Amino acid sequence: MRKYYLVTFGCQMNVHDSEKIAGLLESEAYTEAESPRDADVIVFNTCSIREKAEQKFFSSLGRLRTLKMKKPGVKIAVAGCVAQQKADEIRERAPFVDFIVGPQNIHAFRTIIASPSAPAYKHDDTYTGDNPSITELDLPASRTDTVRAWVNIMYGCDNFCSYCIVPYTRGREKSRPSGSIISEIRALSEKGYKEVTLLGQNVNSYRSDTDFPGLLGRIDSIPGIERIRFVTSHPKDLSDDLVYAIRDFEKVCEHIHLPLQSGSTKILGLMNRNYTYDDYLRRVGFLKKEIPGIAITTDIIAGFPQEKDEDHRATLRALGEIEFDGLFAFNYSPRPGTTAATMEGHIDDALKSQRLYEILELQNGVTDRKNKTLEGTLQEILVEGSDEKERGLLTGRTRANKIVTLPSSPAIERGDRVLVKIVRAHRHSLEGAAVERS
């Protein structure tokens, strides 16, 4: 029995790409190995959005050199964004790697794994869009969850934010045909999946025979699917129709991830985000007006080039003014090939870390206060399974994407919707007590 070992770095898009890689390998009669030592094929699915993830990958890859010497028959593949961006560097630093596969060419795994000569592969040119077939392929996926499923609705990005490497590694924006998406979700429903999360670098700009709000409406009518989520939205493309779709379609959850990146309009301009802070604030105000109680999460970059103290203070003011439910914040990481990497005014690492600390401390206080207001309220959760850290507890999420734990019960199963009373709030989760099954 041939075995594979798969390591994933990065975002939800990479997680789902890894599910597809696993599905392709399992369709060729591979099974998953418990460790690299047991594997016939080892795959790293990589991320280059930040330097730390890239460094972690190269460190992990280097540790396989000895294994390859002891077990020369094992095949090592590098997939994902680092494979697309730095194929030559991978060959130089790790000549023992057998395959290099860009993110829009993962369907080639069937062919390359079967190749006796083990040549290196790299996607030809995602930037010019020479390989549009990625949107047409319905690849098998070995999913790690039985309740929630990721579904790609589009690939690539046309925004060219000055700090981001994605358009150069994943190519220009391409939307999947709506019929293919609907067919995949109907099949997931028939298998018992209750929730789907639609994936795209900017789902708001989805276009096929319908736009994104229209696609949400079609998915909302699929029997068996009970919740619909999506990531990620770009503020400049957040239309009124999308706000109304979140408000009006029963299965679309009241949560949106809307990256702000900075509270300074000057820095947003340098980032090429194509909106001002006032623009963003108006869109958030409209969301809160039309959908009271909507949970809004965001991304923040600390220490972007040329960020002055007043720009940092503008970000802190924005966090206090908007009061996000949560955020992902990171130090700015220069990515070779991006516009921002060549800008003047790069900031000392210590100052970036100090600013990041202040951002996280402020947001922690906001999150604590917002979660505290949920104590005593009734919330519907979709049960996802057992808590990984605590025995005797189940875990699920509210429609606003808050994690809730509750005592296990023979009457409650994975995939059930349960009405719970929130008895205690923590920063990253809530404790609940079951009231009734929905």
Side-chain angles (χ1 to χ4, degrees):
M1 184 70 73
R2 298 177 296 177
K3 294 186 176 183
Y4 71 90
Y5 187 79
L6 179 56
V7 182
T8 306
F9 302 87
C11 64
Q12 300 100 325
M13 193 80 73
N14 264 28
V15 171
H16 188 38
D17 282 351
S18 288
E19 290 181 338
K20 293 176 184 176
I21 292 170
L24 287 164
L25 291 171
E26 290 175 12
S27 73
E28 296 298 310
Y30 282 82
T31 60
E32 188 172 10
E34 293 185 1
S35 76
R37 294 185 300 275
D38 303 324
D40 300 285
V41 174
I42 301 170
V43 182
F44 289 97
N45 191 15
T46 62
C47 173
S48 60
I49 196 74
R50 282 180 291 276
E51 185 178 14
K52 186 175 181 180
E54 187 176 306
Q55 290 174 342
K56 189 174 180 181
F57 150 66
F58 274 113
S59 177
S60 299
L61 180 62
R63 289 195 289 270
L64 291 186
R65 187 183 300 271
T66 301
L67 177 62
K68 183 73 169 181
M69 292 173 63
K70 293 180 178 179
K71 190 178 176 182
V74 66
K75 294 179 179 180
I76 300 174
V78 178
C81 291
V82 178
Q84 178 64 32
Q85 186 189 13
K86 296 193 172 182
D88 292 339
E89 183 176 343
I90 293 170
R91 292 189 184 98
E92 181 179 344
R93 294 176 61 171
F96 53 88
V97 167
D98 299 291
F99 309 115
I100 300 173
V101 186
Q104 295 203 55
N105 216 29
I106 59 175
H107 56 277
F109 264 88
R110 275 201 185 107
T111 303
I112 64 177
I113 294 302
S115 171
S117 57
Y121 281 73
K122 180 176 181 290
H123 189 284
D124 290 331
D125 193 347
T126 58
Y127 177 74
T128 57
D130 289 345
N131 182 28
S133 60
I134 188 71
T135 62
E136 309 293 336
L137 296 172
D138 294 321
L139 302 179
S142 178
R143 299 182 186 270
T144 56
D145 198 317
T146 58
V147 175
R148 303 183 302 152
W150 309 106
V151 177
N152 280 113
I153 66 168
M154 59 195 304
Y155 300 86
C157 186
D158 285 350
N159 287 313
F160 289 92
C161 299
S162 64
Y163 53 82
C164 187
I165 197 65
V166 166
Y168 306 99
T169 58
R170 288 189 175 268
R172 302 302 295 269
E173 194 172 272
K174 305 179 189 75
S175 296
R176 277 181 72 188
S178 64
S180 175
I181 297 167
I182 298 302
S183 294
E184 179 178 353
I185 295 175
R186 287 189 185 279
L188 289 168
S189 174
E190 291 169 1
K191 292 177 182 178
Y193 284 87
K194 304 296 185 183
E195 177 178 303
V196 292
T197 300
L198 311 179
L199 296 178
Q201 304 302 142
N202 177 18
V203 292
N204 300 357
S205 59
Y206 174 85
R207 292 290 184 279
S208 63
D209 60 323
T210 185
D211 59 8
F212 187 50
L215 181 67
L216 289 174
R218 293 181 62 182
I219 298 170
D220 191 70
S221 66
I222 297 176
I225 296 300
E226 298 176 358
R227 289 185 174 182
I228 303 166
R229 302 187 188 275
F230 54 86
V231 287
T232 292
S233 287
H234 196 295
K236 73 178 179 64
D237 298 317
L238 180 62
S239 67
D240 290 357
D241 284 344
L242 178 53
V243 175
Y244 299 144
I246 301 170
R247 182 192 67 186
D248 296 339
F249 293 138
E250 179 185 357
K251 298 175 183 178
V252 178
C253 291
E254 296 80 15
H255 167 247
I256 188 168
H257 189 70
L258 197 65
L260 170 60
Q261 305 299 9
S262 174
S264 164
T265 293
K266 182 195 86 175
I267 297 301
L268 291 172
L270 291 172
M271 290 178 171
N272 194 36
R273 291 291 286 172
N274 290 306
Y275 55 84
T276 67
Y277 175 64
D278 287 342
D279 293 335
Y280 185 96
L281 195 59
R282 280 193 293 272
R283 300 314 300 160
V284 167
F286 187 62
L287 274 165
K288 291 181 175 182
K289 172 179 174 291
E290 295 297 323
I291 314 164
I294 188 172
I296 304 173
T297 52
T298 199
D299 295 335
I300 297 289
I301 296 174
F304 191 78
Q306 302 179 36
E307 182 185 78
K308 305 297 184 185
D309 286 344
E310 57 264 31
D311 301 310
H312 172 59
R313 287 195 295 270
T315 295
L316 296 178
R317 283 196 301 272
L319 299 183
E321 185 171 18
I322 295 171
E323 293 197 325
F324 293 104
D325 287 74
L327 61 72
F328 298 93
F330 306 93
N331 285 340
Y332 167 73
S333 177
R335 302 285 72 210
T338 63
T339 302
T342 63
M343 286 180 177
E344 296 181 353
H346 282 254
I347 294 172
D348 177 80
D349 286 345
L351 181 55
K352 284 194 286 190
S353 294
Q354 175 60 33
R355 289 176 177 174
L356 177 63
Y357 172 80
E358 292 174 8
I359 287 167
L360 293 175
E361 279 296 287
L362 192 155
Q363 180 59 44
N364 285 342
V366 172
T367 301
D368 288 344
R369 289 195 304 273
K370 290 180 75 73
N371 284 355
K372 193 73 175 176
T373 66
L374 297 175
E375 289 184 350
T377 66
L378 296 178
Q379 302 287 331
E380 181 196 78
I381 69 165
L382 178 65
V383 177
E384 298 169 8
S386 300
D387 188 274
E388 295 180 357
K389 297 180 181 179
E390 296 287 343
R391 291 184 177 180
L393 291 179
L394 297 172
T395 185
R397 292 175 191 264
T398 69
R399 288 178 62 92
N401 210 32
K402 306 278 188 180
I403 298 172
V404 179
T405 60
L406 70 157
S408 297
S409 165
I412 302 175
E413 299 179 353
R414 181 192 298 261
D416 284 346
R417 283 187 295 155
V418 179
L419 192 65
V420 300
K421 182 177 181 179
I422 304 303
V423 296
R424 187 172 291 106
H426 305 285
R427 181 171 300 159
H428 301 297
S429 67
L430 307 170
E431 294 180 32
V435 175
E436 63 181 31
R437 290 176 61 183
S438 297

